[in-house]
Amino acid sequence: MNTFSLRYITLCFFVVFYSSISQAQELILIGGALKTCSSFSPDYCLESTTFPNDARSTTLFEINQQSLNRLAQRWPQDNRSPELLSVLKALEIADSAKRYRYTDLVRLLDTETLNLKETLSAKEWAVLLDTLEVSPLAANGQRQQEIVRAKQTDIAGSKAILDYVSNTIRATPTKHYLAITASSRDPYEASDFYTNLFDEYGLSGQWLALTPALARAVSSGKCDSLPELRKQMTQSETRERVYPERTRQEQLLCSKGISALIAKIKSVDTVIFNGGDQSLTKQVMYDPSGQAYPWLEALQSRPVIIGTSAGTAIQSGGVNQFGQVPMITNGTSQSALEFGAFEQAPPDSDCAEFNKCKDDKANRLTFDSVGGLGTFPYGILDTHFSERSRTFRLATLLNKTGQKLGFGVDETTALITKKLNDAVSFDVLGEHGVVLLEQLTPNRFRYHYLQPHDKAILNKQGELNVTLAKAVNDAKAHSEFNADINAIFSKNGFKNVVQNSCRSMESKLVYPLSLKEKKQLSILKKTDSKCISAPNGFYSIKNMVFDLDKQITREFQGEYFE
């Protein structure tokens, strides 16, 4: 088959895929860290905010002889294992009459002599937390719930997003939403937050008990096995004790069968996906063999889809004129530059969290080649973008997969995506910005940084047109700008270097990258490049270009060179 025929077939598939999704669909894709006022997060609230006395404010753990005996019985390895004995030794000093917060529990385990955070496996850590967690009961015997006061949020960027989302939901015919929290290892923990999120806006939301365990049970007609599947997939035997009404909801939804689940999804216009691990969320969309579950189309076709962090990343997928759109699942920019991208499952979550993986595996850039939900087939999505300096990892994956466009959404920021007649529009809302990368050639990329009031249009030919808002006359350069190349992989590192290029009089700045294989980063201002000052002190950027060359040709002496 010749190249033209292959491209024609791919393009036809691309058109068919688009036609299967609602033409009026709107995606609100949040990059993470949506700082919202709640009883769990009072620091994000206005000073006048109050909560009921029985509002749940934290997760608590009890360490007494009874809970330690349960832990020994449940330990994944032999109850004489060195890890268990070390845990019991560390916890023997605990006050049995006290209830501990998570940070206090970690402090007990993370002594200089034991350092258990680096020795416990993901399974052992999950069993430990699950066994010691206290059931949050109020005085009336009902479970305490996290209370959300979204309108009392004191973070302007978050408040702008919450207001926009609430208005969007209110404009739908059903004025109702379902929340899916499958991105969390414990999907029940986040259920209160998302169902209560828009209470102050007068909107009704429900938790959809579409967990990985339920997906496996209902698809196989084995709802009697749901508790055992829950135990296997979350390492939890006590969710029934901690979240009794949530596990009952899950069991009831399973017993009603697949048709009822599909009808439930189709009964609303809006679905919200939470943050966490997008690989977990994919388990409620596809079975272990990779076959789509029967309710996938119902999820794909909701008129409004909202995601935050992993809930944003999971939207990647489908097919466009450049092929299959993958989904990022793990990795850092530095590892991407040193080792490349790997089409494989991500490492265990505790591997990266506790810095335990050997041979840098915790930081490897991994991806799912067939993507996730597939509602965003325009390019590869990435989150927590500038804050975690993820430009290089997104660029590396574009190189690896041949995709042309990458979209990196900053924290407390939303990318608003709407379908037009023959195009797709992208708007930005919130505190920071969205990076749009266009792969020009291998290792050369066009870079745009869009902030609120900037806009981009992607036409049906795959051409991107970026429009920046007018400059603000009194805007000043932000004090956080830092051109230190040694910090490029740290928080806002790449963003600050590119912002510095806007301030520089030079048309080309070249930086060495301290990697195992020497490379250099060249940032170029072309004749059509624009840097427009915004109210927050940062520049919106259009048509900046950067190159990643494999080898530095001469020694770097500490200054910029051509």
Side-chain angles (χ1 to χ4, degrees):
M1 182 180 294
N2 61 41
T3 303
F4 176 79
S5 298
L6 181 61
R7 177 58 58 86
Y8 177 78
I9 291 173
T10 301
L11 185 57
C12 288
F13 193 98
F14 181 62
V15 173
V16 170
F17 178 86
Y18 270 105
S19 65
S20 69
I21 301 177
S22 170
Q23 292 301 306
Q25 190 174 66
E26 178 174 355
L27 307 179
I28 305 173
L29 306 176
I30 304 164
L34 186 61
K35 305 178 182 73
T36 306
C37 173
S38 80
S39 55
F40 259 62
S41 305
D43 290 346
Y44 300 148
C45 302
L46 297 171
E47 289 185 7
S48 59
T49 306
T50 60
F51 295 96
N53 292 331
D54 61 353
R56 191 180 181 195
S57 61
T58 188
T59 300
L60 295 174
F61 303 88
E62 59 183 1
I63 305 169
N64 52 40
Q65 195 57 54
Q66 184 179 9
S67 64
L68 293 179
N69 288 341
R70 289 199 307 265
L71 182 63
Q73 294 171 0
R74 291 196 55 209
W75 199 251
Q77 302 181 43
D78 184 272
N79 60 12
R80 294 179 179 271
S81 72
E83 291 79 13
L84 174 60
L85 295 177
S86 294
V87 168
L88 296 177
K89 179 180 178 182
L91 297 180
E92 67 184 7
I93 65 172
D95 183 350
S96 61
K98 179 180 177 181
R99 290 184 169 183
Y100 289 83
R101 293 172 179 263
Y102 175 81
T103 52
D104 298 327
L105 176 63
V106 171
R107 193 175 296 115
L108 287 173
L109 297 170
D110 193 27
T111 64
E112 291 184 7
T113 56
L114 295 174
N115 202 19
L116 291 173
K117 287 199 303 180
E118 294 190 6
T119 58
L120 297 184
S121 69
K123 188 174 184 179
E124 290 165 343
W125 189 255
V127 168
L128 173 68
L129 297 181
D130 177 67
T131 305
L132 301 183
E133 186 176 352
V134 176
S135 179
L137 295 180
N140 61 2
Q142 298 297 311
R143 182 178 66 83
Q144 291 178 312
Q145 290 198 26
E146 178 180 6
I147 303 299
V148 184
R149 297 277 191 258
K151 281 192 172 183
Q152 304 301 309
T153 297
D154 197 26
I155 310 297
S158 293
K159 186 63 164 50
I161 294 171
L162 291 166
D163 288 347
Y164 181 87
V165 171
S166 65
N167 288 333
T168 302
I169 297 173
R170 187 175 292 106
T172 65
T174 64
K175 300 176 176 27
H176 183 75
Y177 68 91
L178 293 175
I180 298 174
T181 57
S183 291
S184 303
R185 180 193 68 83
D186 180 357
Y188 316 95
E189 183 180 25
S191 60
D192 293 345
F193 176 83
Y194 284 97
T195 54
N196 299 334
L197 183 55
F198 296 105
D199 281 356
E200 286 199 324
Y201 291 92
L203 295 172
S204 175
Q206 282 186 296
W207 179 63
L208 183 66
L210 183 54
T211 65
L214 177 131
R216 194 79 61 85
V218 72
S219 63
S220 60
K222 298 179 179 179
C223 291
D224 290 343
S225 301
L226 182 55
E228 182 60 29
L229 286 168
R230 185 187 304 128
K231 174 183 173 182
Q232 293 174 11
M233 303 182 84
T234 66
Q235 307 304 321
S236 171
E237 289 184 348
T238 66
R239 296 306 86 184
E240 297 92 329
R241 172 174 60 84
V242 179
Y243 299 99
E245 83 286 13
R246 297 303 188 197
T247 55
R248 286 196 295 268
Q249 281 181 261
E250 187 182 31
Q251 191 72 52
L252 180 62
L253 184 61
C254 192
S255 66
K256 291 182 176 179
I258 292 175
S259 296
L261 173 57
I262 294 173
K264 182 73 173 177
I265 295 170
K266 289 185 175 181
S267 71
V268 300
D269 296 314
T270 304
V271 173
I272 300 176
F273 292 90
N274 77 319
D277 182 347
Q278 53 265 41
S279 298
L280 294 178
T281 312
K282 186 166 181 179
Q283 293 179 16
V284 305
M285 301 173 181
Y286 297 87
D287 68 21
S289 70
Q291 293 297 309
Y293 282 125
W295 53 85
L296 180 67
E297 187 277 332
L299 290 173
Q300 288 175 329
S301 61
R302 293 309 85 212
V304 177
I305 295 180
I306 302 159
T308 178
S309 189
T312 288
I314 193 67
Q315 307 304 321
S316 290
V319 177
N320 60 27
Q321 60 263 57
F322 304 102
Q324 186 76 44
V325 180
M327 177 180 72
I328 288 178
T329 56
N330 187 67
T332 65
S333 282
Q334 185 167 352
S335 178
L337 289 179
E338 291 185 334
F339 302 107
F342 299 84
E343 184 184 345
Q344 61 187 43
D348 289 339
S349 58
D350 74 320
C351 197
E353 183 178 356
F354 299 141
N355 299 314
K356 297 188 324 184
C357 285
K358 307 301 181 184
D359 303 322
D360 299 310
K361 289 182 180 178
N363 296 320
R364 292 288 175 90
L365 169 54
T366 59
F367 66 99
D368 185 322
S369 62
V370 298
L373 185 59
T375 54
F376 193 94
Y378 318 113
I380 304 172
L381 282 165
D382 206 349
T383 58
H384 300 277
F385 197 71
S386 294
E387 293 78 8
R388 300 185 187 180
S389 199
R390 286 177 163 174
T391 303
F392 290 133
R393 87 165 188 174
L394 183 55
T396 299
L397 192 54
L398 291 174
N399 257 341
K400 175 75 173 181
T401 61
Q403 281 294 314
K404 179 183 179 182
L405 297 178
F407 300 78
V409 189
D410 287 350
E411 294 179 356
T412 323
T413 305
L415 174 65
I416 313 297
T417 303
K418 296 180 182 179
K419 289 187 178 181
L420 309 175
N421 290 333
D422 293 314
V424 182
S425 69
F426 304 102
D427 293 277
V428 178
L429 183 65
E431 189 173 354
H432 300 296
V434 175
V435 171
L436 275 59
L437 289 187
E438 295 183 78
Q439 182 174 212
L440 303 175
T441 63
N443 297 319
R444 171 168 278 210
F445 302 86
R446 185 179 289 120
Y447 175 102
H448 314 277
Y449 187 67
L450 276 62
Q451 300 187 86
H453 308 297
D454 300 329
K455 190 179 187 67
I457 299 289
L458 180 67
N459 65 25
K460 62 182 179 181
Q461 287 78 34
E463 299 166 336
L464 193 66
N465 181 25
V466 173
T467 304
L468 302 183
K470 293 182 179 179
V472 178
N473 293 330
D474 59 351
K476 297 180 180 179
H478 202 284
S479 60
E480 291 182 5
F481 286 177
N482 181 357
D484 180 9
I485 193 62
N486 295 317
I488 197 166
F489 297 116
S490 62
K491 182 177 180 179
N492 287 316
F494 191 94
K495 174 182 175 180
N496 285 336
V497 168
V498 180
Q499 291 280 323
N500 184 67
S501 295
C502 283
R503 292 194 302 175
S504 172
M505 299 299 292
E506 302 292 332
S507 62
K508 179 179 180 181
L509 300 179
V510 183
Y511 303 91
L513 299 177
S514 299
L515 302 167
K516 292 179 180 179
E517 179 187 355
K518 289 186 177 180
K519 296 183 180 181
Q520 69 181 26
L521 168 67
S522 303
I523 300 180
L524 304 94
K525 280 192 287 190
K526 313 295 282 186
T527 56
D528 61 347
S529 298
K530 290 184 179 180
C531 296
I532 305 294
S533 56
N536 61 5
F538 288 101
Y539 293 105
S540 292
I541 299 172
K542 176 181 178 179
N543 292 336
M544 197 79 81
V545 173
F546 70 86
D547 282 328
L548 278 169
D549 299 324
K550 292 184 178 180
Q551 194 73 29
I552 296 177
T553 55
R554 62 186 178 87
E555 193 68 23
F556 181 66
Q557 299 296 328
E559 74 280 356
Y560 302 137
F561 61 87
E562 293 292 338

